[in-house]
Amino acid sequence: MEDQVIADALCPSWALSVGYIGVASAAVLSNWGSAWGTWKAGVSLVHTGIRHPSSVMKNVIPIVMAGVIGIYGLIVAVILAESITHPTLGRQNTYSIFTGMAHLAAGLCCGISGLAAGGCIGIVGDHGVRSVGYRASAISLFPSSAAKSGYSAIPDQDTGGDDDVSGSDDQNKLFVGMLIMLIFSEALALYGLIVALIVSQHSYSCAEV
């Protein structure tokens, strides 16, 4: 009788709800961040592609990196869902609140990290892709006569002996800078994934009582 009371305290019926909230958090929040990043970077990519179509395939990297975040959430959600145990045939709950809280923490670690990383990738990708496109097309960010000239006469390579950098060199510098920022933004989601995988291994079953 005493063992049954302890089991009811450690494995209440609502513990399953906590675990499944962790599963939903990992999937939904990560996909939210992935969609946010894809939306921000995708819109700027389409706008930039109108004037500079040759840069579309190179600048698609932010969209790919944003999509990977959703995979992180899928991995954690599947692992957590498979770890949730069913009640026994005798209607005894074996899923403890300890395990439920661990799964909730794992889901939130992965989900919120993915949401933050997706927003960061989207904003960096948005401004980065536009900057590369502006440099390629010599579009001025401020209203002036240069903004009405369309494509400029900036060469793709250096033609003079001066120290000014023009054309593709400037574009490459902008692109490399954007790529470095995107990599460290993606790392935020990876950190959350690693912690989530570690925390998800913490479990306690009431079948052991």
Side-chain angles (χ1 to χ4, degrees), residues 140-148:
S140 176
L141 299 180
F142 304 98
S144 65
S145 58
K148 302 177 182 179

Side-chain angles (χ1 to χ4, degrees), residues 23-107:
V23 174
S25 299
V28 173
L29 294 178
S30 295
N31 288 333
W32 186 0
S34 179
W36 184 11
T38 302
W39 163 55
K40 292 287 290 182
V43 170
S44 63
L45 179 64
V46 172
H47 286 177
T48 304
I50 296 175
R51 280 190 172 271
H52 194 60
S54 62
S55 67
V56 170
M57 294 307 299
K58 180 173 70 174
N59 290 328
V60 80
I61 293 179
I63 299 175
V64 175
M65 297 182 73
V68 173
I69 296 177
I71 299 177
Y72 294 164
L74 173 64
I75 293 172
V76 173
V78 170
I79 292 175
L80 297 181
E82 292 295 326
S83 301
I84 297 178
T85 59
H86 302 281
T88 63
L89 295 178
R91 298 181 181 179
Q92 179 182 357
N93 293 320
T94 59
Y95 188 75
S96 66
I97 188 60
F98 175 85
T99 306
M101 287 297 181
H103 289 172
L104 177 61

Side-chain angles (χ1 to χ4, degrees), residues 30 33-35 37-38 41 60-73 75 109-125 178-194:
S30 295
S34 179
T38 302
V60 80
I61 293 179
I63 299 175
V64 175
M65 297 182 73
V68 173
I69 296 177
I71 299 177
Y72 294 164
I75 293 172
C109 280
C110 179
I112 296 179
S113 296
L115 177 60
C120 188
I121 289 174
I123 294 173
V124 171
M178 177 186 70
L179 188 60
I180 292 174
M181 288 184 282
L182 290 174
I183 291 173
F184 282 97
S185 300
E186 181 80 17
L188 299 176
L190 185 60
Y191 300 156
L193 172 65
I194 294 173

